[in-house]
Amino acid sequence: MITRAKMAWAAGPALAMVLAIPNHAEAQSVGGVSLRIASTPSAAEVELIGGRAGTTPLIVSERDIYPNDYPDAREDMYGMVVLRHTGCEPLRHRVTQTDIKQGLQLRLDCDAAMVQSRTAAPAPEPHALAAPPPLEPSSAVPQRRLRQLQVLQELLDEGLISPAEEQRVRRRILQLNVEQPD
Amino acid sequence: MSSRIIVRMFSAIARAGAFAGGAVLLLALSAPPAWAMPEFARRYDLSCAACHSAFPRLNKFGEHFASSNMRMPNWKETADQLGDSRLALPDHVPIAVRAQAYVQARQAGAIDPITGARQEAATDFQSPYLIKILSSSPLSENISYYFYAILAEKGGNGETVVEDAWFRHANIFGSGIGMMLGQFQLSDLMFPREVRLPFQDFMAYRMAGITYDRGVLFDRGIGRVSLDLGFTNGNGIHQNFSINSPGFGRADKMFDNDSSKTVFGRVGSDIGPVAVGLFGASGKQRGATGPAGIASSQRNTDKRVVGLDASGQIGTDLHWYAQYLWNTWDGFLDADPARTYRWRGGFAGVDWIPNERWAFSALYNHDSAGDFAHSDTIYEGIAMNSLSLTSSYYFMRNVKGIIEVNFDFLGKAKPTGPYFTGHLNKENYILFGFDTAF
């Protein structure tokens, strides 16, 4: 017959392991894996399956990306990072093991967003378009125009805008290029 | 068992326990950061954490992955790009390995039910305990395969056993019905044994004979209800006879031993935060005959199983599950073929996973021999009443050390008839070991 003392003794190693559990903070430091998220431009809002996580640059835990449970309605966000920044296209990225090892450096497409907003919205007044985006160095502007034209061509090639729209926006971009003191 | 043997066994347990506890704690202090790359993780460049809350236990996404034909939507990107739209060869041979090794001290023995002769060993190095070679891959838009072979199951050398081995089509004739053909466990519809955290088994499944079998399984989800319906040979996974034209052998073998098939199914859904399921199986099995019922009878007898399962979680770290089975075996014993034998049993457990390093589990098995009690057959051994406590420490995501203690609460019994049947041995044990997959 097994006495209570024997049972208590036999449970000893298991209980010893229970007592050895590090607290949550310690566990994060010894067992937690994290992902570093950076973006260009920085200060992009980071959304994970659990909701808003902060702004870049940001470090999140692997379990923030791969939680053991989640609401069914958020299933499409499992393993995803979504970045949002004013004036940029939202960016969805599926996190890989390589990302976790190397860190995530994402570049948001702000130029395309600008072109698309111009094609979708009523054409703004020329003087409004002429206002340079804040914080953008003037030396970058010709490159930005070039990129805008490339994106415009891509939109046309993919049939997302009509040739007439493409011509109209192209004229505006080139007009701005002339008017603006690059 | 004499008191001297008990003292000796507990002395062995004490030494093993002290060694195991010390070793795990020592290793825990020197463990490196966790990284793991088993086959699916390699294929999809994903962390093990994407599918496992604590290896091998699946998290919600892992269960979703398993029920989605074991593939991610981008599976084609992981195939060799050969420029042939009708060929999706895996870009590497998809092989993974699982290995376990244990040292164990236990009150256990082999008792001959006829003569009562005993063979006992208080301690045992069960290393290797198990080596599995696993493989799985998507093959087409809807077809995946999965199999594993066990080398050295439970330490046995010189044998290879194939357990899970199946093809699955996810959408038969565009109906939304999935179909699995091959070898699988009927009990996988409830709680898959392969992904449990404790070493101790879900014993009711084994004793009810609803583990491995060969057959076909159809599944369909309708809203929040999952439906499964399957058919199996009903006699396990071993070949039964070779086909011949009397006296002259043919190439094929038959695995079934009769013309009947076992039909089984489950209906599952969520009721609030609790997942519940109702399982049923009906088929035939060979009866038992001979002294102590150790031999298989030539009679086919009816067998029915009804099961109720439930599971859920409390917070994010504590998971619980419970299973109960009601078994009806008509005329099972040749000694009284007119009698219907009923027995029931089940298990319940919790897994607490407080962080990425530790997991703690408790598993309670309780089975009653029912009408087999005092039958003077080995089926008295269905009775169980045990609690297993398990601590798992993850050196890496895919490498863990475990300590498990099993308490047998069932009273030791004396034979009730001429044969040595019943709970003649206590089944307490403690084990320490390693479990890894890569």
Side-chain angles (χ1 to χ4, degrees), chain A residues 2 9 62 70 72 78 97-98, chain B residues 14 45 47 50 60 397 428:
Chain A
I2 304 235
W9 178 88
E62 192 178 35
Y70 48 84
D72 290 342
Y78 191 80
Q97 181 73 1
T98 307
Chain B
D45 192 15
S47 164
K60 181 171 180 174
R397 288 219 189 281
N428 298 296

Side-chain angles (χ1 to χ4, degrees), chain B residues 209-263:
Chain B
I210 53 172
T211 58
Y212 285 104
D213 214 326
R214 289 188 160 119
V216 64
L217 175 62
F218 299 95
D219 63 85
R220 180 79 157 92
I222 301 174
R224 298 189 67 82
V225 177
S226 63
L227 300 169
D228 298 271
L229 178 67
F231 305 89
T232 59
N233 283 340
N235 63 325
I237 59 177
H238 300 289
Q239 169 218 341
N240 268 289
F241 57 88
S242 297
I243 299 170
N244 66 14
S245 180
F248 204 88
R250 296 293 188 246
D252 275 338
K253 297 171 179 176
M254 296 292 276
F255 292 86
D256 205 347
N257 58 358
D258 58 35
S259 297
S260 72
K261 292 286 176 274
T262 293
V263 58

Side-chain angles (χ1 to χ4, degrees), chain B residues 314-337:
Chain B
I314 300 167
T316 56
D317 302 334
L318 193 67
H319 312 268
W320 63 268
Y321 52 91
Q323 173 77 67
Y324 210 73
L325 296 175
W326 290 264
N327 298 271
T328 307
W329 294 0
D330 291 341
F332 182 71
L333 296 180
D334 271 10
D336 191 355

Side-chain angles (χ1 to χ4, degrees), chain B residues 16-97:
Chain B
F19 164 73
V24 165
L25 290 173
L26 183 67
L27 289 169
L29 293 173
S30 60
W35 288 106
M37 291 290 283
E39 172 49 25
F40 291 133
R42 275 191 290 269
R43 169 179 297 274
Y44 298 109
D45 192 15
L46 280 176
S47 164
C48 299
C51 287
H52 297 278
S53 49
F55 149 73
R57 189 184 213 290
L58 296 175
N59 62 17
K60 181 171 180 174
F61 181 77
E63 288 173 1
H64 173 71
F65 176 85
S67 64
S68 304
N69 243 3
M70 292 190 175
R71 64 177 65 194
M72 298 285 283
N74 64 336
W75 69 272
K76 268 194 173 172
E77 294 167 18
T78 66
D80 260 337
Q81 303 304 313
L82 301 172
D84 182 346
S85 62
R86 292 178 55 77
L87 187 59
L89 288 179
D91 61 3
H92 60 277
V93 179
I95 293 287
V97 175

